[in-house]
Amino acid sequence: MALKDLNAAIALDAKSNTAFFYRAQVNEGLGKKDDAIADYRRALGVDPSDQDSKAALTRLGAKP
């Protein structure tokens, strides 16, 4: 349900850093590491100063 809602939010506003960040968190919780990394990077693409996404990528062993 959460992914469906976040996908809808992103469809409405493709520049929503928050929606990408929360979708990344949901994907991470579901064990979808690659999807989570992609969404954290999308969140950073919208807001390059997003420290939470940078920290998450580091935690996952990915470069921002």
Side-chain angles (χ1 to χ4, degrees), residues 2 6 12-14 19-20 24 28-30 35 42-45 47-49 53 56-59 62-63:
L6 289 164
L12 290 172
D13 182 5
F20 283 117
E28 187 177 350
L30 293 172
D35 291 340
R42 287 183 184 114
L44 279 173
D47 180 5
S49 68
S53 290
L57 286 168
T58 300
R59 182 180 69 248
K63 292 188 179 193

Side-chain angles (χ1 to χ4, degrees), residues 14-37:
K15 294 190 183 232
S16 175
N17 164 281
T18 303
F20 283 117
F21 177 79
Y22 285 124
R23 188 170 75 175
Q25 288 192 313
V26 170
N27 280 322
E28 187 177 350
L30 293 172
K32 298 179 179 181
K33 182 179 176 181
D34 291 339
D35 291 340
I37 289 170

